[in-house]
Amino acid sequence: MRFDYIFCLVLAFFMAKASAANILLIESYHAEYLWDASYIEGLKSKLGDKHHIERFEMNTKRIPPAEFQSKADQAFAKFLNMKPDLVILGDDNALKYLGKRIDDTGTPVVYLGINGNPRQIGNFKNTTGVLERPLFLRSIVTLKPLLGANPRVLILFDSGATSAASVAEAFAGKNQLEISGVTLDLKQIVLEDEWKKTVLNSKSLGYSAIFVGLYHTLVDLNGNSVGAEDILLWTSRHTPLPNFAFWDFSVGPDKTIGGYVLFGRTQADLASVLVEKILAGTPANSIMPIFGERGRFLFSKSQLARWNLTLPDHIAKQAGWTE
C-alpha cells in the first residue's frame, strides 16, 4: 500500500515535469521598464509554476536604432541555442525584428503589446497574440469635465517605434484634431531639451492640460538615452498644467494624475491563455489574434489633491487608486 502511494507520487512528479514547456520571452525593452515589469509579473504568475521561462532583453528603449538588428541577432542566437517549445515576443520591436524569423522555423510564437499591424510584417504561419490598442481619444474626451472650458490639450510622445505605431491609427497622420469640443495637439519629440521647453511653455501657449504618452526614447544633445523615470519626475514637478496619462506606469505621486489607462498585466494574462492553448496542442495559426483590455480608470490621490481636482461620481466609482 505504502509502495503504491510513493510510486504514484513519483509518477505524478515525472509526468508534471514532462508536460512542462521551455518558453523563451524576448522583450523589446528591459525588465526595469515598468510596462515590462508588469507583464513579466503576469506571465510568471500564470505560467511560471508550470513551465520554465527564460528572458532576453532587446533594450530598444535605451540603445540607438542602428543597434536593433544586432540585438535581434543576439536574441535569435539564444533562441537557436535554447530550442524552446514556444516563444513569447513582447511589444512591437521584438515582433518586427524576430517574428517572421522565428515563425519560419516552425516554433509557435505568441506576441503581446503590439500596437502596429502584424500583417505588415509578414504572413505568419505559427503565430498569434494580443494586440494593444490604447483609446487615446476616448480617454481624453472622458476626462473633459476636468479640463476646463473650451479645453485645448497637449499630447506628448517620444519619437520611438512604439509611439509611432500607437498614434498612427488614432491620429491618422495628423498633428491636430478636434473631438467633442476638445482641441488636441500632438507633438512627437526626440530631444530631452525640447520636451522640457514644450512642458514649460505649455500654459503660455494656451493649453489647459497635458497628456503624457511615452517618453522612454528621449535623448540628450549628445544622443545619449535619458532615464525615463527622470523625465516623468521632472515633468510632474515642473509642469504648469495638470498632466494625465494613457498607461498605468505613468500614474502616481511625482508622476501624473492618471486617466483611462492600459495595464501591462492584462496583456500578459490574455497571452498566457493563448500559450496554454498552444502547448495543449492547438495550432497557433488556428487562434485568431485578440484585442487586449481597452483600459480602466486609475488615479493618484495626491496628484488630484495637488491640482484641486474632483472626479465626477461616475468616474470615481469605477476608478482604481494609487497614492
Side-chain angles (χ1 to χ4, degrees):
M1 186 75 172
R2 178 67 177 171
F3 175 80
D4 290 344
Y5 175 73
I6 294 174
F7 175 78
C8 288
L9 286 178
V10 173
L11 181 62
F13 172 79
F14 281 105
M15 287 178 65
K17 295 291 282 185
S19 64
N22 289 316
I23 298 172
L24 174 59
L25 166 62
I26 301 177
E27 304 168 54
S28 291
Y29 313 131
H30 52 281
E32 295 80 15
Y33 180 35
L34 294 180
W35 172 263
D36 283 34
S38 180
Y39 77 66
I40 290 170
E41 178 187 0
L43 293 173
K44 287 182 177 178
S45 173
K46 297 293 184 178
L47 302 171
D49 290 340
K50 294 176 281 187
H51 306 292
H52 174 66
I53 302 175
E54 291 192 26
R55 296 175 30 247
F56 183 93
E57 300 177 3
M58 288 183 66
N59 201 28
T60 61
K61 290 289 188 189
R62 301 189 293 196
I63 62 174
E67 297 179 14
F68 288 3
Q69 186 60 61
S70 173
K71 188 63 73 170
D73 291 343
Q74 294 174 37
F76 192 69
K78 181 175 179 65
F79 162 77
L80 293 176
N81 182 62
M82 181 180 169
K83 297 181 178 63
D85 300 297
L86 182 143
V87 173
I88 300 174
L89 298 178
D91 296 293
D92 292 82
N93 280 333
L95 183 64
K96 175 181 177 181
Y97 285 90
L98 289 156
K100 194 69 174 69
R101 202 169 174 185
I102 294 174
D103 182 272
D104 285 344
T105 70
T107 301
V109 175
V110 173
Y111 54 71
L112 59 83
I114 301 302
N115 293 281
N117 183 351
R119 292 181 180 178
Q120 293 179 350
I121 296 174
N123 180 26
F124 293 109
K125 300 176 182 178
N126 303 289
T127 298
T128 189
V130 186
L131 300 167
E132 179 189 349
R133 293 293 184 266
L135 296 184
F136 301 128
L137 305 186
R138 175 180 172 183
S139 177
I140 294 169
V141 170
T142 300
L143 297 180
K144 184 179 176 182
L146 303 178
L147 304 179
N150 302 314
R152 185 179 173 210
V153 169
L154 175 62
I155 304 167
L156 295 180
F157 275 84
D158 60 29
S159 62
T162 301
S163 291
S166 296
V167 304
E169 181 178 346
F171 294 92
K174 299 177 181 179
N175 293 323
Q176 186 176 83
L177 293 174
E178 186 166 337
I179 180 170
S180 299
V182 183
T183 300
L184 315 176
D185 285 349
L186 169 67
K187 292 187 182 295
Q188 292 182 262
I189 296 174
V190 176
L191 295 175
E192 172 192 20
D193 279 2
E194 183 186 356
W195 178 284
K196 291 181 176 180
K197 289 176 183 177
T198 303
V199 169
L200 291 174
N201 293 332
S202 58
K203 187 173 184 178
S204 65
L205 291 173
Y207 294 107
S208 50
I210 295 173
F211 276 74
V212 176
L214 298 172
Y215 41 88
H216 303 80
T217 66
L218 295 173
V219 296
D220 62 22
L221 294 174
N222 295 316
N224 299 313
S225 177
V226 179
E229 293 303 303
D230 294 336
I231 288 292
L232 189 58
L233 176 62
W234 184 95
T235 302
S236 177
R237 291 182 176 179
H238 292 86
T239 176
L241 297 171
N243 55 335
F244 299 89
F246 298 120
W247 280 273
D248 67 307
F249 53 74
S250 300
V251 182
D254 286 325
K255 295 184 178 182
T256 70
I257 295 167
Y260 189 74
V261 302
L262 288 181
F263 292 75
R265 174 62 188 261
T266 58
Q267 288 272 317
D269 290 346
L270 292 171
S272 296
V273 173
L274 302 183
V275 167
E276 292 286 31
K277 284 183 178 180
I278 293 168
L279 293 177
T282 303
N285 63 3
S286 72
I287 304 173
M288 290 294 294
I290 58 177
F291 289 97
E293 178 188 69
R294 294 304 181 98
R296 284 179 278 159
F297 288 112
L298 177 67
F299 291 95
S300 163
K301 296 177 182 177
S302 59
Q303 287 289 326
L304 283 168
R306 171 190 172 187
W307 294 101
N308 195 28
L309 294 174
T310 301
L311 297 180
D313 286 344
H314 71 280
I315 294 179
K317 289 176 181 178
Q318 303 175 58
W321 299 94
T322 181
E323 289 302 318

